[in-house]
Amino acid sequence: MRDAFSSYHPAVNFLYFALVLLFTMVFMHPAALLISLIGAFAWSAYLGGRRAVCINLLYMVPMLLLTALVNPAFNHEGATMLLYLPTGNPLTLESILYGFAASTMLIAVLCWLSCYNKIITSDKFVYLFGRIIPAMSLILSMVLRFVPKFQQQLKTVSNAQKCVGRDVSNGSLFSRAKHGVKILSIMITWALENAIETADSMKSRGYGLPGRTAFSIYRFDERDRAALWTIGGLGGYILMMALAGGFGYRYFPTFRIAPWDAWSVSGMAAYIGLCLTPLIIDLADDYKWKRLSARQMTDIKRGNAGEGTA
């Protein structure tokens, strides 16, 4: 899948994720949560395809229902009582609504983070923060790369152990546990050795020393400048509307949201534009790509027809 937004400058990518993650965690307004969830789910589905849709639905629906059911069992605030639980505590409408809002916020954040992992690679992170916090940026980039590399190495070790009959699927229960401990020991040793080799390699290259230069393939052009101003302008306008009360809400003691007016509607519209910005960029790029491909195929067919006539 061709992703146009990932080709933008790392500063544009990072600013976008910083804004959407911050707004998703701060704005508990039902409409804002729904907008963030739809935007995150749509872009995650675009980047990951059908597999991402299945995975998202697999954990989204159970988590939504579980949080909505668990929260009223521990949170009994609210003025609208529906019934009394067997323990004698009241079940309130406000606690149920807050449970749905909290689960929606959590699911939206997870969807945005899944998109973040696909767009913000370790080299982009090191490029952004390598000079500011060199040690921390290196550690974070290693942590982000560790999970996929660990999974790949685990498959390699498991297949190697399976060839000699020492996999977790071979033998009795005690033997399987012994084989599992052996594979775990191999993986821990590999992880430690890999971390030491990476640290020695970066140290030998003078990483983090004052005055050290670094090669970069990223260039900040007019397209990046326009995207940065657009994302920053939308984020600033949303923040002003939120401070003006356009995103106001209250779950306890009674559920209330700020009345809709022109300012709140414009703030929500700007939030929709912000959450859908990368998807709009990707779809527009796909449309241009298909149009150019179709035009090229038409020119080829016309050329072949002209040669046949000649």
Side-chain angles (χ1 to χ4, degrees):
M1 178 65 67
R2 300 175 64 252
D3 177 62
F5 188 73
S6 61
S7 64
Y8 281 71
H9 195 271
V12 177
N13 300 146
F14 189 82
L15 175 64
Y16 177 79
F17 283 108
L19 288 177
V20 293
L21 286 172
L22 176 64
F23 291 159
T24 302
M25 290 184 289
V26 172
F27 298 154
M28 293 292 288
H29 192 286
L33 291 174
L34 186 61
I35 291 170
S36 179
L37 178 61
I38 293 175
F41 183 84
W43 196 28
S44 176
Y46 175 87
L47 295 175
R50 295 181 178 179
R51 183 174 180 272
V53 174
C54 296
I55 293 177
N56 288 340
L57 292 178
L58 186 63
Y59 74 77
M60 279 175 56
V61 177
M63 185 180 298
L64 182 67
L65 297 177
L66 180 63
T67 307
L69 293 175
V70 170
N71 184 73
F74 297 93
N75 186 358
H76 309 292
E77 298 183 22
T80 309
M81 288 190 298
L82 301 178
L83 52 88
Y84 283 93
L85 300 174
T87 57
N89 294 317
L91 176 65
T92 63
L93 176 63
E94 289 77 12
S95 62
I96 296 176
L97 294 176
Y98 184 79
F100 275 108
S103 60
T104 303
M105 183 266 290
L106 178 60
I107 293 170
V109 168
L110 292 177
C111 286
W112 284 123
L113 289 177
S114 67
C115 299
Y116 175 92
N117 291 329
K118 293 182 176 66
I119 303 300
I120 304 294
T121 57
S122 58
D123 57 333
K124 289 183 178 181
F125 192 89
V126 172
Y127 169 78
L128 290 173
F129 300 100
R131 296 182 179 180
I132 303 175
I133 45 173
M136 183 62 67
S137 62
L138 178 61
I139 292 175
L140 291 177
S141 64
M142 291 175 61
V143 170
L144 294 175
R145 293 180 56 197
F146 177 76
V147 175
K149 290 185 64 177
F150 188 88
Q151 292 177 346
Q152 183 180 2
Q153 184 67 17
L154 180 61
K155 291 180 181 179
T156 303
V157 174
S158 298
N159 292 332
Q161 292 295 313
K162 186 182 295 185
C163 293
V164 296
R166 296 179 181 177
D167 188 51
V168 292
S169 59
N170 302 119
S172 61
L173 181 61
F174 178 76
S175 299
R176 294 179 182 180
K178 184 178 179 181
H179 297 160
V181 172
K182 180 66 175 179
I183 294 176
L184 179 62
S185 175
I186 294 174
M187 292 305 303
I188 292 176
T189 303
W190 170 83
L192 294 176
E193 290 179 353
N194 186 60
I196 294 174
E197 290 176 358
T198 303
D200 291 341
S201 176
M202 299 304 291
K203 183 179 180 180
S204 63
R205 298 176 185 179
Y207 182 79
L209 294 179
R212 177 183 179 271
T213 60
F215 171 76
S216 174
I217 60 175
Y218 306 109
R219 295 294 181 269
F220 196 83
D221 54 17
E222 293 297 328
R223 184 192 65 164
D224 300 316
R225 184 175 291 104
L228 191 66
W229 277 105
T230 301
I231 294 174
L234 288 174
Y237 186 79
I238 293 169
L239 184 59
M240 287 191 299
M241 293 300 101
L243 294 176
F247 289 75
Y249 65 90
R250 185 183 71 191
Y251 287 94
F252 304 106
T254 56
F255 177 73
R256 292 287 186 275
I257 59 175
W260 291 95
D261 54 16
W263 295 110
S264 60
V265 171
S266 64
M268 290 295 176
Y271 195 40
I272 293 174
L274 179 66
C275 292
L276 296 181
T277 293
L279 186 60
I280 293 174
I281 292 174
D282 290 336
L283 293 178
D285 184 75
D286 289 344
Y287 174 75
K288 292 179 181 178
W289 178 265
K290 292 179 181 179
R291 188 179 61 179
L292 292 175
S293 300
R295 183 182 300 176
Q296 185 178 10
M297 291 299 297
T298 302
D299 294 340
I300 293 175
K301 290 180 180 179
R302 289 177 179 176
N304 293 335
E307 292 177 0
T309 304

